[in-house]
Amino acid sequence: MKKDLGKDKIIKLVFSMAVPAMIAQLVNVLYSIVDRMFVGQIPVIGSQALAAVGICGPNVTLLSSFGTLIGIGGAINMSIKMGQEENDDAREILFTSFIMLVCISLVLTVLFLFLRKPMIYWFGGSDVLYPYANSYLTIYTAGTFFALMAIGMNYFITCQGYSGIAMCSVVVGAVTNIILDALFIRGFHMQIEGAAIATVIAQIVSALFVLLFLHSKKPMIRLKKNHFHKEYAKKIVKLGFSPFLILATDSIIIILMNTILQRFGGPEQGDILISAGTIAQSCFLLITGPLLGITSGTQTIISYNFGAKNRQRIEKAFRTIVTISLCFCAVMFMIFMLFSDTFVAMFTSDPVTSPIAIRAIRIFIIGVLPMAIQYALVDGITALSNVKISLALSMTRKSIYTVSLLILPLLFVAETTFYAQPVADILAATITTIVFLKTYPDFMKENGM
């Protein structure tokens, strides 16, 4: 059912948009996690293949971040125009975003296919891991167009109030991926290539679902041929740049972590630490993915009411989003602290890798409660189109993370690299909260609220 972003009760509205978006992001995370589960259980080569998929992970995240750049940037701009009742402009923004995704996906496909070999070695690969990583990355990159369409255009369904439809588009793709993983890897014994092919086919299904809905008569702002507007393109990039940078720098950080683990772990432990780190990162995605769904899925509530200049609804939305985020992260903290060994067993039964992965998971989640506040506030600031502050706060967190990655293994051992995650989460959340409380009142006054 479509929601009225300007009139429905805020608590009901936030829940009705946060829950489907959270589920959609959770299911979306399963694309990579299910691949890793099946790959990790491949006889004989499972551990090496899992490490190879972990090395490809930053490439996959980097490609996805471009869909987020256009999707979030376009959806926020479109929501503001809808709040101002300027629907013709909203339609131009939708079409402009679509053309931008088409062009970016074609450029990225060519670029990543050309650079895939050096990228694998730059990102922590070894001669043992290269054949597996090369096969996976080549096939995945070939489906970049569909991946970006499925991710980027889905935001334009959510921002029109159809959060349930947006969730279904992701669920359809994820279910397809799980079925095909089982068929290709276990049924046809296609190993790591089967995982990549299954993912690409699933993304094709999701992309077709999204595009067909946006082209149908149901949404008020439909995808039809229109004018490509250069000024809107600039605004889309401006508002989408902060969440894009968050995801893109996540890729860089994972690359840096894999490289450090490979270097400080040495020939004996390097690949094992990367494999354990891949499992920990996969489990951590089960927190950050749904959390991002909550905070980004509700951005349009803030954007719409910002366009309508309704400060009371904006502030009530902030309080509700932060509360839901904290509750979700508290539950996930308890689950992973108690059952981390169960999650690790889904990926590997290797007696050397398993205990390291269990420790890594428990280290990663130390700072999830502060992280909930940081996600909610930064995405809320972005929804208010206050890009300078949201970008600065995002980069502060990444900077803390990077410095921690570089210093910890020098002072201690390679495995302490995992502590960079909670250090960044706790410090960044503290800084973000202070900045928000100091700048928000003045920002609202400047915008006539």
Side-chain angles (χ1 to χ4, degrees):
M1 293 178 62
K2 184 180 178 181
K3 286 82 179 176
D4 191 328
L5 303 179
K7 295 180 180 179
D8 288 353
K9 289 184 178 179
I10 288 294
I11 294 177
K12 180 180 178 182
L13 191 59
V14 169
F15 268 99
S16 66
M17 298 193 74
V19 173
M22 179 181 69
I23 294 171
Q25 283 291 337
L26 175 61
V27 174
N28 196 35
V29 166
L30 292 177
Y31 273 108
S32 60
I33 291 180
V34 169
D35 280 351
R36 293 174 184 184
M37 286 180 177
F38 277 102
V39 166
Q41 299 294 343
I42 295 174
V44 183
I45 66 165
S47 183
Q48 293 92 340
L50 180 59
V53 173
I55 288 169
C56 294
N59 295 274
V60 172
T61 304
L62 187 58
L63 288 171
S64 301
S65 65
F66 283 92
T68 304
L69 168 69
I70 307 303
I72 290 183
I76 290 175
N77 273 290
M78 195 168 98
S79 296
I80 292 172
K81 290 297 182 183
M82 290 169 64
Q84 296 169 345
E85 299 183 353
E86 297 177 7
N87 290 339
D88 288 338
D89 291 337
R91 293 184 183 93
E92 284 193 358
I93 291 170
L94 176 58
F95 182 76
T96 299
S97 301
F98 172 74
I99 296 300
M100 292 174 74
L101 282 171
V102 171
C103 295
I104 290 172
S105 64
L106 295 177
V107 172
L108 289 175
T109 300
V110 175
L111 186 63
F112 272 59
L113 286 175
F114 181 73
L115 294 175
R116 67 186 185 280
K117 183 173 182 178
M119 288 171 71
I120 289 170
Y121 282 100
W122 293 341
F123 299 171
S126 63
D127 291 337
V128 174
L129 302 181
Y130 175 76
Y132 309 114
N134 183 54
S135 297
Y136 188 89
L137 187 58
T138 301
I139 295 169
Y140 186 91
T141 302
T144 298
F145 172 82
F146 299 102
L148 264 62
M149 283 295 160
I151 294 167
M153 297 307 291
N154 206 25
Y155 286 102
F156 296 95
I157 297 177
T158 302
C159 79
Q160 295 189 64
Y162 294 103
S163 53
I165 299 294
M167 178 188 71
C168 288
S169 73
V170 180
V171 172
V172 166
V175 171
T176 302
N177 189 39
I178 293 170
I179 294 171
L180 293 181
D181 267 335
L183 180 64
F184 292 162
I185 297 175
R186 293 189 176 174
F188 297 158
H189 304 290
M190 295 173 67
Q191 298 188 346
I192 198 168
E193 293 86 354
I197 293 170
T199 299
V200 171
I201 294 174
Q203 288 168 344
I204 292 171
V205 172
S206 288
L208 290 175
F209 185 102
V210 170
L211 293 175
L212 287 173
F213 179 81
L214 286 173
H215 191 66
S216 70
K217 294 181 179 180
K218 195 164 187 178
M220 181 171 64
I221 309 299
R222 297 193 292 272
L223 178 60
K224 295 191 296 185
K225 187 176 180 181
N226 209 313
H227 297 97
F228 179 85
H229 205 297
K230 290 183 180 179
E231 289 302 315
Y232 285 145
K234 292 178 182 177
K235 291 180 179 179
I236 289 167
V237 172
K238 180 182 177 182
L239 286 183
F241 191 72
S242 179
F244 163 77
L245 198 61
I246 292 172
L247 289 174
T249 49
D250 277 346
S251 300
I252 295 170
I253 286 171
I254 294 172
I255 292 165
L256 183 60
M257 177 178 286
N258 287 340
T259 303
I260 289 172
L261 291 173
Q262 188 69 259
R263 179 180 176 183
F264 286 89
E268 294 182 356
Q269 273 204 313
D271 290 351
I272 294 171
L273 287 172
I274 290 175
S275 184
T278 300
I279 294 170
Q281 289 159 7
S282 300
C283 291
F284 199 63
L285 282 172
L286 291 172
I287 301 175
T288 58
L291 179 60
L292 180 63
I294 294 171
T295 58
S296 66
T298 52
Q299 277 181 312
T300 52
I301 301 172
I302 296 173
S303 298
Y304 186 98
N305 287 285
F306 181 67
K309 294 189 178 297
N310 193 328
R311 179 170 177 171
Q312 185 179 5
R313 286 178 66 83
I314 291 170
E315 291 175 352
K316 194 167 185 179
F318 263 113
R319 290 193 297 270
T320 308
I321 294 165
V322 169
T323 302
I324 294 173
S325 299
L326 282 170
C327 292
F328 168 75
C329 284
V331 171
M332 296 303 288
F333 176 84
M334 294 301 298
I335 289 173
F336 278 110
M337 274 295 183
L338 294 173
F339 303 107
S340 54
D341 54 341
T342 303
F343 283 97
V344 170
M346 295 179 185
F347 292 88
T348 183
S349 56
D350 182 68
V352 178
T353 306
S354 295
I356 299 174
I358 291 170
R359 287 196 298 273
I361 291 171
R362 290 173 178 170
I363 292 169
F364 267 52
I365 64 172
I366 291 171
V368 293
L369 288 177
M371 184 182 69
I373 298 172
Q374 210 257 350
Y375 267 57
L377 294 183
V378 170
D379 278 357
I381 293 168
T382 303
L384 294 171
S385 72
N386 196 348
V387 180
K388 289 183 180 179
I389 290 181
S390 65
L391 184 57
L393 292 171
S394 298
M395 292 310 299
T396 298
R397 181 175 180 270
K398 303 302 179 183
S399 299
I400 295 170
Y401 203 139
T402 302
V403 171
S404 301
L405 280 175
L406 295 172
I407 291 177
L408 287 171
L410 289 173
L411 297 177
F412 304 101
V413 295
E415 198 173 321
T416 57
T417 303
F418 299 136
Y419 281 97
Q421 181 71 54
V423 168
D425 290 337
I426 294 168
L427 292 179
T430 303
I431 294 168
T432 297
T433 303
I434 294 170
V435 170
F436 178 79
L437 293 175
K438 285 185 173 294
T439 60
Y440 174 79
D442 291 338
F443 177 80
M444 298 304 282
K445 287 179 182 178
E446 289 172 5
N447 286 276
M449 284 179 274

